[in-house]
Amino acid sequence: MLRSCLVCMTVGVVAFTLASTATPGTGTGAAVPSSDWTSQASKAIARAEYEFTAVPGGGWSAPNRTQGLRLTADESFAQVSPRKEGAERWSLSLGLRAVGREGAMTAVAPGTVKVEGNRIENRREALGLSEWYVNMRSGIEQGFTIDRRQAAGDMDSPLVLDVAYEGGLEAHQEESDGAILFSEKSAGTVLRYENLAVADADGNPVDAELTLLPGALRIAVRDEGHPYPLIIDPTLVVPGWIGLGDQFAEFFGASVAGAGDVNGDGFAEVIVGAYRFDNGFFDEGRAFVFSGSPTGPSPIPAWTADGNQTGAWFGYSVASAGDVNGDGYADVIVGARLYDNFHIDEGRAYVYLGSSVGLGAVPAWTAEPDQNRAAFGSSVASAGDVNRDGYGDVIVGAPDFDFAFNTDEGRAFLYLGSAAGPATLADWSAGSGLYSSAYGFSVASAGDVNGDGYSDLIVGAPLYDNLGFPDEGRVFVYAGSASGPSRDPVWTADGNKTLARFGYAVAGAGDVSGDGIADVIIGAPYDDTGRVFVYHGSLAGLSPSSDFSAKTNKNPAEFGASVAGVGDVNGDGIADVAIGAPRVGDQTTTAGGLVRVYYGSRTGLGNPPAFSATESQNNALLGGSVAGAGDVNGDGLGDIIAGAIGLDNLGLQVTNSGGAQVYMGFRTRQTALASGALHGIRFTD
């Protein structure tokens, strides 16, 4: 039987206005802030704390409240200094001085500056490069856009960028991690220059080295054999939030999802599953919800729930349930694939309702399949509103369900929402018609793939066999209607390759082509090193063949073990997607894992990826789960959450505790990212 982590999510772009309303019953008619006003004001303040504004006399400035820093810049340089006037008055000025190769270094002249929100870009058009800074809670990122290979000089030597620094701080380089520390005599170390990372156009890492020189920082990139542009986006490379388990083999992050806004404060929450968590019962499992805020997810969970049974594996799957009872608050659904209730390992699914004070302590709804070893709850998801009655619906997968004479055929069950919550009994169910196909191993809302106003369903059967391809996998899509989903699939697609396991992961991609109709994304992690496919929706339904495919050259990789539509993470108005590859490593790391993000556009997903995130810890398995987090910080952009079940909690010396990381979306210029980027510096205090 297969074992996996599941993902699903929704995000959105928000416009903000400020207004006051008169509250009935005050007796005075005085205007008082509404809860919406308060939420929007908080978001406005959060944005102002990181965005650039013009400075009288020239240049731009941006505060960084979290790090206690201020960043100012003009056409030649950038300067970092303490934000508060009363702090120790030091400064560090940085500016790209020269670029090239051995024997042919070119001095860099002042450029053309463009400012967008918390990002400032200094473009040197003649050299085909940009220097840019991104100001965010986790620090100040410096990066460089490199359009083309530098052709002058010794082509066997590395590409070199020399960044001049001045300001009176003392600098030294650490031997352990190569970070450069800037120190002030009375204040000690005030800045770290770290996290150099480079990737090529295929998303593969490129060897790079950071060296401290007198008055300069040298970045040397061994670009030989690597396709240009060199691409990585800093906005998602450094996590804006990290959560870790605190028990041995807890597997925190085995499942992750955006929970929606469960308390109505205007910020999305995230939910994380740890199905091996112990709390009085061995391997009972636990689900954690972390509240969103202007600074991102809360450091401690706002809500938890346990399986309360030995070996239940509660939290094996987690998802937003949408609003199943129509009260205006998002709800969540959790799966416990090995729960027993008169039937061994039958599995159970739970729905917890949102409210003004958050999620309820006890589930408002549960469901079971009443069959031994059905593994019901291996996958759970919001189904959207399949019958357009105004209530969210939920879908649950049971990949080991026996139907008729087909052992382990698998089955998916849909429960329609109502004012009282989900129906007690399934309103719809379907299977593959083939034994041992693991149908329902992955389930999701497909979105509205045919533009008729009804949400559609997508179900994966990764062990489906067809035409002599064992375990090639098949994916099924069912059309929503006023009476619920279609009885038979309206669209299917196969892996067409032995052991590909096409459909191991499925998700609604959102509208990645900007044509107003939803698309879907499907993972086949065992198609060689793994491959991912996107099928575009249309008024006639999904396209018969994929409109986009991607893979990685790393082996092993399991690229496509998780896939997700993540909403609009870059603010261009078009949906984007994320893909996990938990087995990817590099020269120094085994199975650290990888998450890639591809931007949508009017022509569909871009390729190569816009950016990647990796984990340097061996066997961390980052990307085993990935999902859209929703808008956790209220900046109007989608954020991303990824799980790494093998991550160790080094602070507690606990192995395989697992972890989850949230990467914040960032509004930026699509053309700059499409041209590629050399990244990697973070300044923190």
Side-chain angles (χ1 to χ4, degrees):
M1 294 182 289
L2 293 170
R3 297 290 183 265
S4 175
C5 309
L6 308 178
V7 298
C8 59
M9 57 53 41
T10 57
V11 297
V13 176
V14 216
F16 106 78
T17 59
L18 297 180
S20 62
T21 60
T23 301
T26 61
T28 64
V32 299
S34 68
S35 59
D36 180 67
W37 186 95
T38 303
S39 172
Q40 299 298 338
S42 297
K43 296 174 185 179
I45 293 170
R47 286 193 294 268
E49 289 172 340
Y50 299 96
E51 291 188 351
F52 286 91
T53 57
V55 177
W60 294 263
S61 177
N64 189 306
R65 181 180 61 84
T66 302
Q67 300 293 335
L69 303 173
R70 179 173 295 278
L71 176 63
T72 58
D74 63 14
E75 293 81 0
S76 300
F77 74 97
Q79 184 183 78
V80 182
S81 61
R83 185 176 68 93
K84 295 181 179 180
E85 292 296 328
E88 193 70 40
R89 301 317 298 167
W90 54 263
S91 68
L92 176 69
S93 295
L94 295 161
L96 184 62
R97 170 173 81 182
V99 62
R101 301 181 188 276
E102 185 177 340
M105 295 293 291
T106 302
V108 176
T112 302
V113 174
K114 182 171 182 176
V115 174
E116 291 186 347
N118 63 333
R119 184 181 194 271
I120 188 166
E121 177 186 4
N122 193 349
R123 177 73 179 172
R124 276 78 171 203
E125 195 65 49
L127 297 174
L129 62 87
S130 295
E131 177 181 7
W132 41 257
Y133 294 83
V134 182
N135 185 36
M136 49 192 181
R137 285 172 301 278
S138 58
I140 299 168
E141 298 275 354
Q142 181 194 34
F144 305 89
T145 298
I146 309 295
D147 294 341
R148 56 186 181 270
R149 190 180 304 276
Q150 302 293 310
D154 182 1
M155 296 304 294
D156 292 329
S157 66
L159 170 69
V160 173
L161 289 83
D162 282 347
V163 180
Y165 71 87
E166 58 184 40
L169 294 176
E170 296 181 355
H172 76 274
Q173 189 164 17
E174 291 190 328
E175 295 183 1
S176 57
D177 59 4
I180 295 174
L181 275 59
F182 292 94
S183 303
E184 200 273 339
K185 290 183 179 179
S186 61
T189 298
V190 295
L191 291 172
R192 291 176 61 86
Y193 194 85
E194 60 182 2
N195 292 346
L196 176 65
V198 183
D200 65 18
D202 293 331
N204 295 316
V206 183
D207 287 340
E209 184 177 11
L210 176 64
T211 306
L212 177 64
L213 303 176
L217 312 172
R218 171 162 288 186
I219 301 170
V221 182
R222 297 196 175 279
D223 62 339
E224 184 179 3
H226 288 275
Y228 272 66
L230 303 176
I231 293 178
I232 199 164
D233 187 336
T235 58
L236 294 179
V237 171
V238 178
W241 175 90
I242 299 175
L244 294 171
D246 59 8
Q247 293 183 2
F248 167 75
E250 174 185 335
F251 293 173
F252 182 90
S255 55
V256 297
D261 184 5
V262 303
N263 59 0
D265 66 351
F267 301 96
E269 279 70 59
V270 295
I271 183 169
V272 180
Y275 68 87
R276 298 286 298 274
F277 187 90
D278 302 335
N279 186 30
F281 298 95
F282 180 70
D283 285 356
E284 62 175 304
R286 172 173 283 187
F288 305 75
V289 169
F290 299 85
S291 296
S293 76
T295 57
S298 57
I300 59 175
W303 175 93
T304 62
D306 297 350
N308 297 319
Q309 183 186 98
T310 298
W313 284 19
F314 180 89
Y316 187 85
S317 58
V318 297
S320 170
D323 183 5
V324 298
N325 61 346
D327 63 355
Y329 298 97
D331 312 310
V332 302
I333 183 168
V334 181
R337 66 164 281 139
L338 299 184
Y339 189 89
D340 301 336
N341 188 25
F342 301 108
H343 296 87
I344 299 172
D345 294 348
E346 63 174 314
R348 173 181 276 188
Y350 307 72
V351 167
Y352 297 84
L353 300 180
S355 73
S356 61
V357 294
L359 295 174
V362 297
W365 173 92
T366 63
E368 300 158 9
D370 298 325
Q371 184 184 104
N372 287 333
R373 299 180 179 85
F376 182 88
S378 293
S379 56
V380 296
S382 167
D385 186 3
V386 299
N387 59 348
R388 209 163 64 182
D389 64 354
Y391 299 99
D393 311 313
V394 295
I395 184 170
V396 182
D400 298 338
F401 193 92
D402 302 334
F403 188 75
F405 299 103
N406 293 327
T407 303
D408 292 343
E409 171 186 347
R411 203 155 188 86
F413 301 83
L414 177 79
Y415 301 84
L416 296 177
S418 71
T424 303
L425 300 176
D427 299 275
W428 173 95
S429 68
S432 68
L434 181 71
Y435 69 93
S436 298
S437 67
Y439 178 97
F441 183 76
S442 56
V443 298
S445 171
D448 181 9
V449 301
N450 60 356
D452 65 354
Y454 296 93
S455 296
D456 307 311
L457 302 177
I458 184 169
V459 182
L463 299 186
Y464 192 95
D465 302 338
N466 189 35
L467 300 176
F469 295 111
D471 294 354
E472 63 169 311
R474 172 174 282 189
V475 171
F476 305 73
V477 170
Y478 302 84
S481 73
S483 58
S486 58
R487 180 180 179 86
D488 298 313
V490 296
W491 180 92
T492 62
D494 294 352
N496 296 319
K497 193 170 188 177
T498 298
L499 303 178
R501 297 187 179 178
F502 180 82
Y504 189 95
V506 300
D511 179 12
V512 300
S513 61
D515 62 358
I517 300 178
D519 312 307
V520 300
I521 183 169
I522 299 168
Y526 300 101
D527 184 344
D528 293 329
T529 60
R531 189 178 291 272
V532 171
F533 305 85
V534 170
Y535 297 83
H536 285 170
S538 71
L539 295 178
L542 291 173
S543 56
S545 58
S546 65
D547 302 278
F548 167 93
S549 69
K551 66 183 186 77
T552 176
N553 294 323
K554 293 289 184 178
N555 188 19
E558 296 182 7
F559 186 75
S562 61
V563 298
V566 295
D568 180 12
V569 301
N570 66 332
D572 65 354
I574 301 176
D576 311 308
V577 303
I579 299 166
R583 293 289 176 183
V584 165
D586 55 26
Q587 295 90 338
T588 60
T589 305
T590 301
L594 167 73
V595 175
R596 281 185 181 173
V597 176
Y598 296 81
Y599 286 161
S601 73
R602 297 297 175 186
T603 57
L605 291 180
N607 198 359
F611 42 74
S612 305
T614 59
E615 176 55 55
S616 60
Q617 190 181 107
N618 285 331
N619 299 308
L621 302 177
L622 176 69
S625 58
V626 67
D631 183 8
V632 298
N633 61 343
D635 64 356
L637 301 174
D639 306 312
I640 297 171
I641 184 169
I645 65 170
L647 201 63
D648 300 334
N649 189 329
L650 299 178
L652 298 179
Q653 296 296 304
V654 177
T655 59
N656 293 328
S657 61
Q661 303 180 356
V662 171
Y663 307 94
M664 304 298 183
F666 172 68
R667 195 178 307 275
T668 191
R669 189 162 63 98
Q670 177 75 8
T671 55
L673 292 174
S675 68
L678 163 67
H679 154 260
I681 311 305
R682 180 174 64 139
F683 302 96
T684 58
D685 63 359

